[in-house]
Amino acid sequence: SHDLCTALSAVTGYLSLLGLSSSAQIPQSTIREAEFHEKRLFQVIKLINELLDLEKIEANRLEIDPRFIYAETAVQCAISEIENEAKEKRNSIEDFESDLEIYADTHRLGQLLSNLLAASIELAKEGSSISLWASESEGRTIIRITIPDASVPSNIGNANIGNANYGDTLFMRYKATEDANPALPLAAELIRLHGGTIQFQTAETGIQDTKKTEASFWFTLPIGAQNGASVVDMTQKDQAIREIR
């Protein structure tokens, strides 16, 4: 898999250079096609990397390095990763502001947030506005992603994934399903590795002809050790974003 990623990355680099080319000898149709295939290759590389991460988790070989980071920094970076997907479906993500701190591995936090946002976009009907909310309660940080008008497949129900119920995690459901996307089970497993839990819930809103299905992902993480741990400051946002990615 690593060898495959290396080869695909080389091809992606070539397509990227082709897309940036200003040569009059290259037809615009060729450049647009190169950009299309570049995007698809990025998706394949992401898929392979997530499968590798799931293998590491199954073998207890994936390590995390938690530290304090502002929730706003992590969320804004995750939004930037998937904003093109949102635009393709004519969806939007509402502005998120928070001064809360999250104790987590910065890279893995960005990974699980972008995966949950991508899943939310996939579930959201065209024109939906996805919102995020964060709070603290009983020693835990809570982040909720809400889709006001969702199209939820019949095989997805309310799911509560916690350490005490590992046999029913999205990870196990993924392993039992052919051709399933690993993004959601990976997000669930990364949250579990941080000592957190994740839920997916749906509710009917509106009346008669205006009824909608509201769906939400929400997860909790322990607030973490308080003794002298450093916070990734907003003035260090560029560095934080590099670590998240």
Side-chain angles (χ1 to χ4, degrees):
S1 295
H2 288 291
D3 292 339
L4 182 57
C5 272
T6 300
L8 288 173
S9 295
V11 175
T12 302
Y14 173 78
L15 290 173
S16 179
L17 289 174
L18 184 60
L20 293 172
S21 175
S22 60
S23 173
Q25 297 180 351
I26 302 177
Q28 285 299 311
S29 59
T30 301
I31 294 176
R32 285 195 297 270
E33 187 173 352
E35 292 172 345
F36 172 82
H37 289 298
E38 179 188 7
K39 178 182 176 181
R40 293 296 179 264
L41 279 174
F42 272 125
Q43 292 173 340
V44 172
I45 292 171
K46 182 175 183 290
L47 174 63
I48 293 172
N49 285 332
E50 290 183 339
L51 289 171
L52 289 171
D53 284 339
L54 281 173
E55 286 184 1
K56 290 178 183 178
I57 290 171
E58 192 174 16
N60 294 317
R61 291 190 294 107
L62 193 143
E63 299 180 357
I64 59 172
D65 178 23
R67 65 189 69 185
F68 281 106
I69 180 171
Y70 283 108
E72 183 173 337
T73 302
V75 169
Q76 293 298 344
C77 181
I79 290 174
S80 70
E81 291 283 332
I82 52 84
E83 59 185 354
N84 287 335
E85 296 176 37
K87 289 178 181 178
E88 286 180 1
K89 285 195 66 177
R90 298 182 182 178
N91 292 331
S92 61
I93 301 174
E94 296 179 9
D95 292 339
F96 174 82
E97 294 182 0
S98 174
D99 58 0
L100 290 181
E101 302 161 9
I102 301 176
Y103 189 68
D105 183 296
T106 52
H107 170 66
R108 298 303 179 181
L109 176 62
Q111 188 177 20
L112 72 88
L113 279 169
S114 61
N115 281 8
L116 290 176
L117 283 170
S120 299
I121 292 168
E122 186 68 24
L123 292 174
K125 292 184 178 178
E126 187 174 296
S128 297
S129 180
I130 297 166
S131 62
L132 292 98
W133 166 86
S135 67
E136 287 183 357
S137 177
E138 299 180 353
R140 303 183 78 82
T141 301
I142 304 168
I143 294 183
R144 187 184 189 103
I145 304 172
T146 300
I147 311 134
D149 190 9
S151 178
V152 182
S154 58
N155 64 336
I156 297 181
N158 289 357
N160 183 358
I161 303 99
N163 291 333
N165 196 26
Y166 182 69
D168 192 35
T169 63
L170 289 175
F171 175 57
M172 298 305 291
R173 294 181 187 182
Y174 159 76
K175 288 182 71 65
T177 306
E178 292 184 1
D179 302 323
N181 190 314
L184 268 182
L186 178 58
E189 288 302 299
L190 290 174
I191 291 167
R192 183 187 64 82
L193 284 176
H194 284 82
T197 59
I198 178 174
Q199 290 188 357
F200 174 75
Q201 296 178 330
T202 60
E204 295 297 325
T205 62
I207 56 174
Q208 295 180 351
D209 295 339
T210 63
K211 279 188 176 181
K212 297 179 180 179
T213 299
E214 180 183 274
S216 60
F217 292 101
W218 64 274
F219 65 92
T220 69
L221 295 176
I223 289 178
Q226 301 289 339
N227 298 327
S230 60
V231 178
V232 178
D233 194 88
M234 290 301 289
T235 59
Q236 300 171 309
K237 186 173 181 180
D238 290 343
Q239 176 62 28
I241 287 174
R242 284 194 292 272
E243 291 182 359
I244 290 171
R245 289 177 175 170

